[in-house]
Amino acid sequence: MMNTTIKWNGDMAFSSTTPSGHELKMDASEEVGGKNTGARPTELLLNAVAGCTGIDIISILKKMRLDPTSFSMDVEGDRADDHPKRFTKIHIHYTLEGDLPEDKVIRAIELSTEKYCSVSHSLNAEITVSYSLNGERKEL
């Protein structure tokens, strides 16, 4: 079980210390009464999906004794127009560089997205992925 306490800091601002000891600040935009002193919860959600799958992929590649020279992710989230304006689709594009066999990269991405990433499996959104390996973009 994981627990956290979130404290209201006035207006639309909230803060917490995560169970792992890191400070987290959230706020709304000024247009809706916030002061823009922290990330939006939806921004954190997109980052959480990418961070979760990124950690999985690096872990899997390291178990395969492979070391990327660089790794980044571009994440796009489509949201519904009506409330609760949930994410309906999230696309993650992985960009990897290094001496990495393509089949191993694909396997690491598939294992993360289909089996291991607890964040993405906690959402009710279609999640698609693509990747670039050493500058060549491909769809999965």
Side-chain angles (χ1 to χ4, degrees):
M1 177 174 293
M2 186 182 303
N3 297 305
T4 190
T5 300
I6 307 210
K7 178 184 170 189
W8 178 52
N9 299 319
D11 295 318
M12 298 288 188
F14 292 84
S15 64
S16 71
T17 300
T18 66
S20 58
H22 300 279
E23 187 175 339
L24 180 64
K25 292 183 178 188
M26 295 176 279
D27 199 356
S29 67
E30 293 174 354
E31 294 84 34
V32 296
K35 300 258 196 287
N36 196 30
T37 62
R40 310 298 177 266
T42 49
E43 294 171 340
L44 295 172
L45 187 58
L46 279 185
N47 279 276
V49 169
C52 179
T53 190
I55 289 169
D56 288 343
I57 290 167
I58 290 296
S59 175
I60 293 164
L61 290 174
K62 287 193 175 293
K63 287 177 184 167
M64 295 175 178
R65 292 180 167 62
L66 298 170
D67 291 309
T69 55
S70 70
F71 179 33
S72 64
M73 294 167 274
D74 293 313
V75 186
E76 297 175 356
D78 292 337
R79 295 179 66 191
D81 293 330
D82 297 324
H83 288 286
K85 297 186 180 182
R86 70 177 187 86
F87 284 107
T88 56
K89 184 174 182 180
I90 296 170
H91 180 80
I92 305 169
H93 180 80
Y94 303 99
T95 300
L96 296 100
E97 299 283 334
D99 186 17
L100 305 166
E102 186 173 4
D103 62 325
K104 303 287 186 182
V105 169
I106 291 170
R107 183 69 179 141
I109 292 170
E110 289 175 339
L111 283 170
S112 175
T113 57
E114 295 171 8
K115 184 176 183 179
Y116 292 115
C117 181
S118 59
V119 175
S120 63
H121 287 283
S122 298
L123 300 176
N124 184 15
E126 176 188 355
I127 299 176
T128 60
V129 299
S130 58
Y131 67 97
S132 295
L133 179 57
N134 297 320
E136 187 177 343
R137 183 180 174 112
K138 300 202 177 173
E139 300 298 319
L140 195 59

